[in-house]
C-alpha cells in the first residue's frame, strides 16, 4: 500500500486531462462523492493494468479535495473485488474502485466505482439488434458489461420505443454512471445486477441479451438466469450463447464426484469483503460435518497451485470466493477446486441438478433466492470414480470431538482428531516455537552466491586453478 503525498511537479504535468468528457477516471465525480460523504481517509484501488496511471490520478484528486489519499498497491484476493481488508490498514472510511468490477456487495465501507468505458457505435448496434430480434413483441431482458454502462442510456432510449417488453437491468452499485445505479437488497440481486419482470410473467418467458463479448460475466449470468436463450455482441455481430452442456460444466460434475469421495476437505477463504462470506463458511462446514467429512479452514491470500500443494493430506478444496475468480477455470491444481453450490449438489439430497448453476454463493444461503434446506442422505452408493462403496458405517469418521481443542505436543494445538496425527508424522514442519529449548545465539550471515555453489561451501573449487589441456 502506497501513501501518495504532494509533489513538486508542475500543474501542467499533474493535470494531464482537464476535459471532463474525455477523462476516463472521472476525477471530478470522485471528488464530489468524497465531499458529499465527508470522507477523510480514502483509498484508491486500481487493477494491475491501471497502476501506471494511479499516481497521476491521485495527485489530481488530492489537488481537488485538498487532502491526502492512499493507493492500494496490491489486492488481497482479486482486482475485480473491492479490497476492504487492505483499506483497513489505514482506517479508511471509503474506497474508490477503478476498472472492471464484479459488483459484489460489501458491508464495511462506502464504495464508489469508476467503471471503464468501451466505445460503441449505437446506430450500428441498434440495426444489428433489430435484425436478430425481428419480432418486436418478444420479451427481452437486457444486460450489459460494466464497460458499456456509459452508453446504455442512449441505447435504451433507441430500443425501448420499438420493443414494448424490453427490460433493462440495473447495476447494484454507486458509480460514475448514475443512470444505471440502483440499491436493493442482496436477495434480489444476481451478480451485481437487478431487474424487475412484468406482472404475470416469469423469467422463463424471456430471452436474455448481453451487451458485451463472450466471457466470464456472460457465462455466469447465463448459468444463473434460466431464460429461453442467450445472445451476446462480439465484433459488432450478435451471436447465440450456449450456457449448458459445455465442457466446463461436464468437468464440474466430475469434480463433484471427486468431492463425494474425499475424506478430508479444505475450506479456502478467498474473500474477506463479500457480504455473508462468514455465513457461507459456516454453511459449508455444517454440510461437511453432517456427512462425516473432516475439514480444515484455510486463508492463504491469493490462491495458486503451489500454496494449496502444501496440504497433501486434503483431498478436495471448497473455495469461498468471488464468482468471477479464475481459480474455478484452472487445471493447474493438484486437487479438485469446488464451490459452495457444488457442496450442496454433492451432499444435499434435497438439492437436485437443474438447468441453473449458481456460482454466487449468496444465492444458495438462507434467505437467498435459491436456498434449499440441507437434508443429508446416508444411503450407501458406489463411486463413479473409484468404484468403491460410500457411506458405509465402517467408513464413518469420528467427528464427535471436532469442537474440542486438544494439545498433542508442545506448540501444537489440534481440533479433535482432524488431521492431528497426520501433521505429527510429516517429514517437514513449519516455523515452530521452541521457547526455552534452545540457547540464545547471535545472528549470523546466511549463505550467499548461486544455489549450485555457495561461497561458504567447503568443497568450493577455485575456477582460476583449473587447468585445461
Amino acid at each position: 500500500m502506497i501513501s501518495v503525498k504532494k509533489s513538486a511537479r508542475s500543474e501542467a504535468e499533474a493535470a494531464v486531462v482537464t476535459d471532463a468528457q474525455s477523462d476516463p477516471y472521472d476525477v471530478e465525480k470522485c471528488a464530489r462523492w468524497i465531499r458529499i460523504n465527508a470522507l477523510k481517509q480514502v483509498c484508491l484501488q486500481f487493477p494491475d493494468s491501471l497502476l501506471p496511471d494511479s499516481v497521476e490520478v491521485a495527485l489530481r484528486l488530492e489537488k481537488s479535495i485538498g487532502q491526502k489519499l492512499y493507493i492500494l498497491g496490491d489486492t488481497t484476493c482479486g482486482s475485480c473485488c473491492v479490497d476492504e481488508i487492505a483499506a483497513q490498514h489505514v482506517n479508511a472510511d471509503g474506497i474508490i474502485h477503478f476498472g472492471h468490477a464484479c459488483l459484489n456487495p460489501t458491508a464495511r465501507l462506502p464504495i464508489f466505482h469508476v467503471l471503464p468505458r468501451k466505445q460503441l457505435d449505437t446506430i450500428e448496434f441498434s440495426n444489428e439488434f433489430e435484425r436478430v430480434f425481428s419480432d418486436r413483441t418478444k420479451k427481452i431482458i437486457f444486460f450489459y458489461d460494466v464497460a458499456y454502462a456509459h452508453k446504455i442510456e442512449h441505447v435504451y432510449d433507441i430500443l425501448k420505443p420499438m420493443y414494448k417488453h424490453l427490460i433493462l437491468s440495473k447495476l447494484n452499485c454507486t458509480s460514475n454512471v448514475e443512470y444505471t445505479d440502483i440499491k436493493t437488497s442482496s436477495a434480489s440481486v444476481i451478480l451485481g445486477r437487478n431487474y424487475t419482470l412484468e406482472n404475470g410473467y416469469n423469467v422463463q418467458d424471456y430471452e436474455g441479451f448481453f451487451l458485451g463479448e463472450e466471457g466470464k460475466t456472460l457465462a455466469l449470468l447465463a448459468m444463473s438466469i434460466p431464460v429461453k436463450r442467450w445472445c451476446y455482441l462480439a465484433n459488432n455481430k450478435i451471436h447465440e450463447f450456449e450456457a449448458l452442456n459445455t465442457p466446463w460444466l461436464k468437468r464440474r460434475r466430475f469434480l463433484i464426484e471427486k468431492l463425494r469421495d474425499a475424506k478430508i476437505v479444505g475450506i479456502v477463504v478467498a474473500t474477506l469483503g463479500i457480504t455473508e462470506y462468514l455465513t457461507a463458511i459456516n454453511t459449508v462446514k455444517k454440510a461437511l460435518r453432517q456427512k462425516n467429512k473432516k475439514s480444515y479452514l484455510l486463508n492463504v491470500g491469493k490462491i495458486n497451485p503451489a500454496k494449496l500443494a502444501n496440504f497433501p493430506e486434503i483431498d478436495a478444496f471448497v473455495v469461498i470466493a468471488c464468482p468471477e475468480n479464475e481459480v474455478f477455470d484452472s487445471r493447474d491444481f493438484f486437487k479438485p477446486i469446488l464451490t459452495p453450490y457444488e457442496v450442496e449438489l454433492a451432499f444435499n439430497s434435497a438439492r437436485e441438478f437443474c438447468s441453473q448453476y449458481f456460482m454466487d454463493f449468496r444465492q444458495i444461503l438462507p434467505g437467498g433466492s435459491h436456498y434449499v434446506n440441507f437434508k443429508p442422505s446416508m444411503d450407501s452408493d458406489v463411486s463413479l470414480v473409484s468404484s468403491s462403496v460410500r457411506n458405509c458405517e465402517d467408513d464413518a469418521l469420528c467427528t464427535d470431538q471436532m469442537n474440542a481443542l486438544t494439545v498433542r505436543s508442545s506448540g501444537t494445538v489440534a481440533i479433535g482428531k482432524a488431521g492431528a496425527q497426520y501433521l505429527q508424522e510429516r517429514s517437514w514442519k513449519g516455523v515452530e516455537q521452541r521457547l526455552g529449548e534452545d540457547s540464545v545465539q547471535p545472528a549470523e550471515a546466511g549463505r550467499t552466491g548461486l544455489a549450485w555453489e555457495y561461497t561458504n561451501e567447503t568443497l568450493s573449487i577455485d575456477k582460476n586453478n583449473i587447468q585445461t589441456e
Side-chain angles (χ1 to χ4, degrees), residues 186-450:
S186 59
S188 62
V189 176
I190 298 178
L191 300 171
R193 293 161 172 84
N194 175 271
Y195 59 91
T196 303
L197 301 179
E198 298 172 297
N199 293 332
Y201 297 103
N202 54 46
V203 70
Q204 289 81 7
D205 298 325
Y206 288 82
E207 295 185 9
F209 176 78
F210 180 73
L211 179 56
E213 297 183 356
E214 181 179 2
K216 192 72 174 179
T217 304
L218 171 60
L220 294 173
L221 286 170
M223 289 188 296
S224 301
I225 305 174
V227 295
K228 292 180 179 178
R229 68 162 179 163
W230 276 94
C231 295
Y232 67 97
L233 181 72
N235 298 323
N236 296 322
K237 296 293 181 182
I238 294 178
H239 308 271
E240 190 167 347
F241 179 74
E242 179 60 41
L244 303 176
N245 201 26
T246 61
W248 184 86
L249 275 179
K250 292 178 182 178
R251 182 170 180 267
R252 303 311 301 178
R253 295 188 180 101
F254 168 74
L255 296 181
I256 291 173
E257 194 67 18
K258 296 281 287 185
L259 177 61
R260 290 192 177 109
D261 290 342
K263 300 296 183 183
I264 302 176
V265 180
I267 305 174
V268 184
V269 183
T271 177
L272 296 174
I274 300 178
T275 303
E276 298 183 88
Y277 79 95
L278 290 175
T279 305
I281 294 172
N282 293 328
T283 300
V284 172
K285 288 173 62 177
K286 182 179 179 181
L288 295 174
R289 188 183 303 115
Q290 292 190 54
K291 292 296 295 183
N292 291 328
K293 305 287 184 181
K294 295 178 181 179
S295 65
Y296 294 140
L297 184 62
L298 309 173
N299 186 356
V300 294
K302 290 184 179 179
I303 302 174
N304 60 50
K307 288 181 180 179
L308 297 189
N310 288 320
F311 305 94
E313 69 274 19
I314 294 179
D315 301 315
F317 295 92
V318 177
V319 180
I320 312 295
C322 162
E324 296 191 16
N325 197 310
E326 296 180 355
V327 68
F328 303 112
D329 302 327
S330 176
R331 292 176 175 265
D332 298 332
F333 291 88
F334 298 99
K335 299 295 177 66
I337 304 294
L338 299 110
T339 68
Y341 175 62
E342 289 163 342
V343 174
E344 289 259 315
L345 291 178
F347 302 129
N348 188 355
S349 60
R351 173 82 64 180
E352 298 180 355
F353 278 93
C354 63
S355 59
Q356 296 169 269
Y357 213 85
F358 309 110
M359 297 296 291
D360 187 350
F361 59 77
R362 291 176 297 113
Q363 293 179 266
I364 63 170
L365 296 180
S369 56
H370 296 278
Y371 171 72
V372 175
N373 287 324
F374 189 84
K375 181 182 178 183
S377 173
M378 301 307 293
D379 296 335
S380 298
D381 66 339
V382 178
S383 169
L384 300 179
V385 177
S386 62
S387 300
S388 60
V389 179
R390 293 184 298 225
N391 292 339
C392 292
E393 292 183 2
D394 295 339
D395 295 334
L397 301 177
C398 297
T399 58
D400 55 332
Q401 299 180 10
M402 290 290 286
N403 293 326
L405 289 178
T406 305
V407 179
R408 296 300 299 266
S409 64
S410 176
T412 302
V413 179
I415 301 178
K417 299 180 180 179
Q421 183 177 359
Y422 184 93
L423 294 174
Q424 288 287 6
E425 295 173 355
R426 267 184 174 173
S427 60
W428 57 271
K429 298 179 181 179
V431 179
E432 297 156 342
Q433 291 185 350
R434 296 175 54 85
L435 299 178
E437 300 181 27
D438 299 318
S439 59
V440 178
Q441 298 290 338
E444 299 179 358
R447 286 184 170 185
T448 59
L450 300 178

Side-chain angles (χ1 to χ4, degrees), residues 9-304:
R9 306 173 71 178
S10 65
E11 293 185 6
E13 185 180 3
V16 175
V17 181
T18 57
D19 184 3
Q21 298 298 324
S22 61
D23 183 4
Y25 297 102
D26 276 325
V27 171
E28 289 305 318
K29 289 185 179 180
C30 295
R32 189 184 312 124
W33 179 75
I34 294 174
R35 295 190 195 99
I36 292 175
N37 292 276
L39 304 178
K40 300 301 180 183
Q41 294 280 91
V42 179
C43 289
L44 310 182
Q45 180 180 340
F46 296 83
D48 293 342
S49 60
L50 298 181
L51 276 177
D53 298 337
S54 60
V55 174
E56 203 72 51
V57 174
L59 289 172
R60 292 176 55 213
L61 190 52
E62 282 187 348
K63 181 180 178 181
S64 178
I65 63 177
Q67 65 187 50
K68 183 174 66 174
L69 298 173
Y70 296 85
I71 297 174
L72 301 183
D74 188 21
T75 53
T76 304
C77 297
S79 296
C80 66
C81 298
V82 176
D83 195 352
E84 292 183 305
I85 301 303
Q88 287 184 331
H89 289 294
V90 293
N91 295 321
D93 53 7
I95 299 176
I96 299 178
H97 182 280
F98 296 85
H100 175 74
C102 56
L103 304 180
N104 284 306
T106 56
R108 297 180 179 91
L109 300 173
I111 310 298
F112 185 79
H113 288 277
V114 178
L115 304 177
R117 294 173 178 173
K118 285 186 179 180
Q119 296 304 315
L120 177 69
D121 188 330
T122 55
I123 301 300
E124 183 179 357
F125 165 70
S126 60
N127 292 335
E128 175 68 7
F129 194 89
E130 290 180 57
R131 183 188 67 81
V132 175
F133 298 97
S134 56
D135 183 1
R136 300 191 178 185
T137 63
K138 284 187 175 181
K139 302 173 182 63
I140 305 170
I141 306 177
F142 196 105
F143 296 90
Y144 48 92
D145 188 273
V146 295
Y148 292 112
H150 68 292
K151 288 284 188 179
I152 201 63
E153 181 178 5
H154 184 47
V155 171
Y156 185 68
D157 289 341
I158 294 175
L159 297 179
K160 183 57 178 176
M162 295 184 288
Y163 295 89
K164 179 182 178 181
H165 301 289
L166 179 68
I167 295 176
L168 179 67
S169 64
K170 300 282 187 176
L171 303 183
N172 190 49
C173 68
T174 300
S175 76
N176 57 328
V177 186
E178 299 176 1
Y179 178 80
T180 67
D181 297 345
I182 188 172
K183 283 291 183 181
T184 59
S185 62
S186 59
S188 62
V189 176
I190 298 178
L191 300 171
R193 293 161 172 84
N194 175 271
Y195 59 91
T196 303
L197 301 179
E198 298 172 297
N199 293 332
Y201 297 103
N202 54 46
V203 70
Q204 289 81 7
D205 298 325
Y206 288 82
E207 295 185 9
F209 176 78
F210 180 73
L211 179 56
E213 297 183 356
E214 181 179 2
K216 192 72 174 179
T217 304
L218 171 60
L220 294 173
L221 286 170
M223 289 188 296
S224 301
I225 305 174
V227 295
K228 292 180 179 178
R229 68 162 179 163
W230 276 94
C231 295
Y232 67 97
L233 181 72
N235 298 323
N236 296 322
K237 296 293 181 182
I238 294 178
H239 308 271
E240 190 167 347
F241 179 74
E242 179 60 41
L244 303 176
N245 201 26
T246 61
W248 184 86
L249 275 179
K250 292 178 182 178
R251 182 170 180 267
R252 303 311 301 178
R253 295 188 180 101
F254 168 74
L255 296 181
I256 291 173
E257 194 67 18
K258 296 281 287 185
L259 177 61
R260 290 192 177 109
D261 290 342
K263 300 296 183 183
I264 302 176
V265 180
I267 305 174
V268 184
V269 183
T271 177
L272 296 174
I274 300 178
T275 303
E276 298 183 88
Y277 79 95
L278 290 175
T279 305
I281 294 172
N282 293 328
T283 300
V284 172
K285 288 173 62 177
K286 182 179 179 181
L288 295 174
R289 188 183 303 115
Q290 292 190 54
K291 292 296 295 183
N292 291 328
K293 305 287 184 181
K294 295 178 181 179
S295 65
Y296 294 140
L297 184 62
L298 309 173
N299 186 356
V300 294
K302 290 184 179 179
I303 302 174
N304 60 50

